[in-house]
Amino acid sequence: MSSTAHMPHFLLLLFLSLLTALTCSASPQIYIGFSASPQSQTAPFESLLTDPTGNFSLCFLRQNQNQLALGVIHVASSQPLWLANPTHFASWSHTTHLSFNGTLILSDPKTNLLWSTATNDGDTLLLLNTSNLQILNKDKATPLWQSFDFPTTTLVQDQNFTTAMSLTSQNGLYSLRLGNDFMGLYANYPENDGSSLRQLLYWKRTALEAKAVIKQGQGPIYARVNKEGYLAMYQTSAKPVDVQKFDSFQQTPTTSSFLLVRLEPDGNLKGYYWNSNKSSWVLNYQAITETCELPLPCGSYGLCTPGGSGCSCLDNRTRFEPGVGCFDGSSSGDLCSEKMGGDSYAVIRRTGVEPPHKELVGHVTAPSFAECEGLCERNCSCWGALYNNASGFCYLMDYPIGTMSGSGEQYKVGYFKVRKSVGGKKRVGVRVGVVVGVMVGIVVAGVGVWMMRMRWRRKGMNGMLGEESGASPGPYRNLGSDSFKSIEMSGQR
Ligand SMILES: *[C@@H]1O[C@H](CO)[C@@H](O)[C@H](O)[C@H]1NC(C)=O
Ligand SMILES: *[C@@H]1O[C@H](CO)[C@@H](O)[C@H](O)[C@H]1NC(C)=O
Ligand SMILES: *[C@@H]1O[C@H](CO)[C@@H](O)[C@H](O)[C@H]1NC(C)=O
Ligand SMILES: *[C@@H]1O[C@H](CO)[C@@H](O)[C@H](O)[C@H]1NC(C)=O
Ligand SMILES: *[C@@H]1O[C@H](CO)[C@@H](O)[C@H](O)[C@H]1NC(C)=O
Ligand SMILES: *[C@@H]1O[C@H](CO)[C@@H](O)[C@H](O)[C@H]1NC(C)=O
Ligand SMILES: *[C@@H]1O[C@H](CO)[C@@H](O)[C@H](O)[C@H]1NC(C)=O
Ligand SMILES: CC(=O)N[C@H]1CO[C@H](CO)[C@@H](O)[C@@H]1O
C-alpha cells in the first residue's frame, strides 16, 4: 500500500474513482435479512446502497483511521450529507454490524454502540435521488422513517428543517435552530454545574415577512433550501415568510446544480453549490460575513478588531498566536465552588472593547463602570462585565469569556476574571507536541494509508473550502477551527 504514497495525484484520484465505481455497484434497495460488516482494511468508505442517479450513497465511512460512521455521502466529492451516529463512532472492525430486519440497526459490541431507526414493520430501505434515506412499508403511504428528519451538520436542497430539528457543527460547539419567527445560531456551553448544555444566541435572522406573514396559532415555521438559490422560511403558505438569497440566486446554470447549507466548525452557516464541471463545491452563501461576528474568532480572552487588524488579546501583556490564541487555562463553569477572596482569579481591565453580538445579549443600566464591575465582582457566576459610559449599559457575562469585539472607543470598558490555572501554558504546548508527534508517526509508519485518508478527508471534510470558494478570511486563514477546538475543549474541561 505504501506505493500509493508515490503516486501522482491523478493516479490516486483514478484509483479512488475506480474504488468508488466498484464499491458503488451496490443494490438500489435493501430488504429484510440484509446484513453487512466493513470488509476493507484501507478504503475510506464502503458503499452499501446507492440512489438511482448514482450521485448519493449510503456508506460505512472511515473516521480517524479506524472508526466507523454510517452515513449518506455525495459520491463525487465524498462529502458526508448525513450521519447516523455523528457523536459516537463504531470501530472499523468485522464485529461491527449493520442489519435490516424492519429496523435498521448498527451495532458494535466493542464501543457499545447501538443505533437503530426503531421502526419494526419496515420492509424496504431506499435511497432517493434527493439523498433522503427512507424506510418504507408497502401498505403505508408515508415513510416510517427518513434521514431527512434527523439532519446532522448539513441541510440539502428540498429538505424541510423544522422547529423539532437542529443542525450541529461537527465539533459539537454550535447549533442552528428555528424559533417562532426566526432562525438562530447558538454556541453550546456546558451549564455552570456541568450538568447540561446552555445555548447562547450569536446570530439571528428574523423573518422579514415580505411575501407572507406569520400567523399566530397557525403552527410553527420551517426552513428549506430552494434550488432556485435561496434559504427560505415558511409557515402555512407556499409563499415564504423569509428569503435569504444565495449568490447564485436565479442564475443558470447554478439553478440546475445541487445546493446545500452546512454548519461549519467555526460556527458559520455556509451555502454551496456543486459545480460538476469543476468537480468542486462553490461557496454561495454565508450567514456571517464579518469574521469578528463569528462566535469565537480569536479564541478565549481574544480581541477581534473589525476591519482587518485581526486578533489580539484582552490582556495586553499576552501576544496572540494563531492556532494557540490568548489563553489556555480553564474558563469553564463558574468560580462559586472555589475559595473566594481574590486569589481564585486575576482581573484584566481593558478599554475600547464591547460585547460581540451585543444586540442579542441582555444588559442592565449602571451609573458608572465601577458599579457595573461591582455587580460582576460580587457574583461568582459572573466572568466579566462590559460598560458603555455613553449609554450606561452594563453587560454581565455569566458564561466563559470568549472573543470580545474591539471598538477602540475609550468610553467602552471591560472587566474580566481569569481563573488562576495550574500548569499554565504548558498544557497547550504538550497537546500540540502530542499531535505533531502522532502525525509524524503516522507519516512514517503508514504513508500510503495516510495519504489516501487525507485525500479523502480533504475532499470529504474540508473539500468544500476549495480555492474557488472565495472564503478567504484574510489574516484569520491559519486560525484553523481544529486549533480552536482544542482551545475551546481545554477551556471546557
Ligand atoms: C430486529 O432485530 C433486533 C435486534 O436483534 C430485535 O431487537 C428486533 O426485535 C428485531 N425486529 C424484528 C421486527 O424482528
Ligand atoms: C428524482 O426522482 C423523482 C421521482 O422519483 C423524479 O421525478 C425526478 O425527475 C428525479 N430527479 C433526478 C435528478 O433524477
Ligand atoms: C416539505 O414540506 C412541504 C410542505 O409541507 C411538503 O410538500 C414536502 O413534501 C416536504 N418535503 C419533504 C422532503 O418531506
Ligand atoms: C458546465 O459546462 C457546460 C458546457 O460548457 C455548461 O453548459 C454548464 O452550464 C456548466 N455547468 C455548470 C454547473 O457550470
Ligand atoms: C496595559 O494595560 C494597562 C491597564 O489598562 C496599562 O496600564 C498598561 O500601560 C498597558 N500596557 C501596555 C504595554 O500597553
Ligand atoms: C449572579 O449572576 C447570575 C447570572 O447572571 C444571576 O442569575 C444571579 O441572580 C446573580 N446573583 C446575585 C446575587 O446577584
Ligand atoms: C464617563 O462619563 C462621565 C460623564 O459623562 C465623564 O465625566 C467621564 O469622564 C466618562 N469616563 C470615561 C472613561 O469616558
Ligand atoms: C449533485 C450531483 O453530483 N449531481 C450529478 C448527478 O448525476 C448527474 C449525471 O451523472 C450529473 O450530471 C450531476 O451533476
Side-chain angles (χ1 to χ4, degrees):
M1 270 322 294
S2 63
S3 65
T4 51
H6 307 294
M7 277 189 195
H9 275 180
F10 75 92
L11 271 183
L12 205 57
L13 260 180
L14 189 71
F15 179 69
L16 273 185
S17 23
L18 272 177
L19 201 74
T20 309
L22 283 175
T23 50
C24 284
S25 57
S27 68
Q29 298 195 351
I30 280 174
Y31 300 101
I32 287 181
F34 168 87
S35 151
S37 292
Q39 300 297 319
S40 161
Q41 298 302 310
T42 52
F45 56 89
E46 276 177 26
S47 180
L48 304 157
L49 180 66
T50 51
D51 83 301
T53 65
N55 284 338
F56 308 109
S57 173
L58 173 69
C59 290
F60 288 138
L61 288 155
R62 192 182 289 273
Q63 307 280 321
N64 313 321
Q65 205 83 23
N66 53 15
Q67 291 180 305
L68 176 149
L70 177 69
V72 172
I73 63 168
H74 172 247
V75 172
S77 64
S78 307
Q79 178 66 46
L81 303 178
W82 172 79
L83 292 183
N85 54 328
T87 54
H88 189 178
F89 295 142
S91 49
W92 190 283
S93 134
H94 62 276
T95 56
T96 294
H97 217 69
L98 180 72
S99 62
F100 183 62
N101 65 351
T103 309
L104 188 64
I105 302 170
L106 178 68
S107 64
D108 173 5
K110 275 194 199 162
T111 63
N112 285 323
L113 174 81
L114 185 67
W115 172 88
S116 106
T117 55
T119 47
N120 279 328
D121 49 353
D123 54 31
T124 322
L125 180 70
L126 196 66
L127 186 58
L128 303 186
N129 65 11
T130 54
S131 83
N132 193 3
L133 183 69
Q134 292 189 331
I135 292 179
L136 304 177
N137 177 309
K138 59 182 176 305
D139 301 328
K140 301 208 167 88
T142 52
L144 302 176
W145 178 94
Q146 57 180 1
S147 61
F148 268 20
D149 291 341
F150 304 92
T152 49
T153 60
T154 304
L155 203 61
V156 303
Q157 66 183 32
D158 295 331
Q159 179 173 4
N160 292 330
F161 183 71
T162 69
T163 48
M165 302 174 188
S166 65
L167 293 189
T168 303
S169 60
Q170 203 190 353
N171 53 20
L173 297 178
Y174 309 109
S175 314
L176 173 77
R177 285 193 290 112
L178 289 173
N180 292 333
D181 63 349
F182 69 94
M183 64 170 64
L185 290 170
Y186 297 82
N188 305 326
Y189 288 93
E191 196 59 88
N192 280 346
D193 59 6
S195 62
S196 56
L197 270 190
R198 165 123 173 258
Q199 300 200 306
L200 288 181
L201 185 64
Y202 61 86
W203 175 85
K204 185 178 183 181
R205 167 78 187 195
T206 303
L208 293 181
E209 306 183 51
K211 295 205 170 86
V213 295
I214 296 173
K215 300 187 191 97
Q216 293 305 318
Q218 299 272 301
I221 59 168
Y222 63 97
R224 187 166 63 216
V225 174
N226 189 298
K227 57 178 171 296
E228 302 297 316
Y230 57 88
L231 173 58
M233 288 186 264
Y234 301 87
Q235 193 190 25
T236 46
S237 157
K239 287 194 181 129
V241 296
D242 185 64
V243 165
Q244 296 177 72
K245 288 175 187 169
F246 293 176
D247 297 342
S248 67
F249 178 64
Q250 284 184 339
Q251 277 173 20
T252 45
T254 47
T255 48
S256 57
S257 43
F258 186 72
L259 293 166
L260 55 80
V261 294
R262 189 171 73 158
L263 184 51
E264 303 289 356
D266 66 358
N268 207 351
L269 181 69
K270 293 186 179 177
Y272 302 86
Y273 72 84
W274 176 247
N275 183 328
S276 49
N277 291 348
K278 289 186 176 169
S279 281
S280 65
W281 292 98
V282 180
L283 184 69
N284 203 12
Y285 161 80
Q286 297 191 79
I288 298 173
T289 49
E290 167 63 57
T291 308
C292 284
E293 279 160 23
L294 290 173
L296 206 59
C298 305
S300 296
Y301 294 92
L303 182 61
C304 191
T305 308
S309 47
C311 288
S312 56
C313 295
L314 287 176
D315 184 348
N316 61 8
R317 292 161 303 180
T318 315
R319 207 168 60 86
F320 178 83
E321 285 173 52
V324 179
C326 295
F327 178 73
D328 63 338
S330 166
S331 63
S332 67
D334 57 32
L335 297 159
C336 294
S337 55
E338 293 165 33
K339 63 175 180 331
M340 296 298 284
D343 62 352
S344 61
Y345 64 89
V347 165
I348 302 173
R349 289 186 185 80
R350 182 78 187 232
T351 60
V353 295
E354 61 183 336
H357 330 293
K358 62 172 180 293
E359 66 289 354
L360 299 176
V361 299
H363 61 260
V364 295
T365 48
S368 68
F369 179 45
E371 300 240 359
C372 176
E373 186 179 310
L375 290 176
C376 186
E377 188 182 8
R378 288 189 298 272
N379 190 332
C380 60
S381 305
C382 183
W383 279 98
L386 290 140
Y387 186 65
N388 181 329
N389 195 23
S391 63
F393 289 173
C394 173
Y395 302 89
L396 296 169
M397 291 173 288
D398 61 339
Y399 44 87
I401 305 297
T403 297
M404 298 297 123
S405 193
S407 71
E409 292 149 326
Q410 294 304 303
Y411 61 91
K412 294 177 179 171
V413 277
Y415 161 89
F416 309 96
K417 294 177 184 173
V418 190
R419 174 179 275 141
K420 286 183 179 163
S421 64
V422 238
K425 281 270 175 203
K426 271 181 208 149
R427 287 177 49 198
V428 162
V430 168
R431 191 171 297 114
V432 170
V434 169
V435 170
V436 169
V438 167
M439 285 188 57
V440 167
I442 291 167
V443 171
V444 171
V447 208
V449 179
W450 183 76
M451 271 206 53
M452 276 186 50
R453 206 178 80 81
M454 287 316 270
R455 163 147 289 272
W456 174 74
R457 259 189 45 147
R458 195 144 27 98
K459 284 178 63 171
M461 302 304 182
N462 306 322
M464 288 186 149
L465 301 170
E467 282 79 16
E468 54 275 83
S469 72
S472 161
Y476 306 100
R477 185 181 282 279
N478 49 4
L479 301 185
S481 43
D482 276 333
S483 35
F484 271 120
K485 188 172 145 195
S486 74
I487 290 174
E488 180 69 3
M489 289 310 184
S490 70
Q492 291 187 351
R493 200 148 297 156

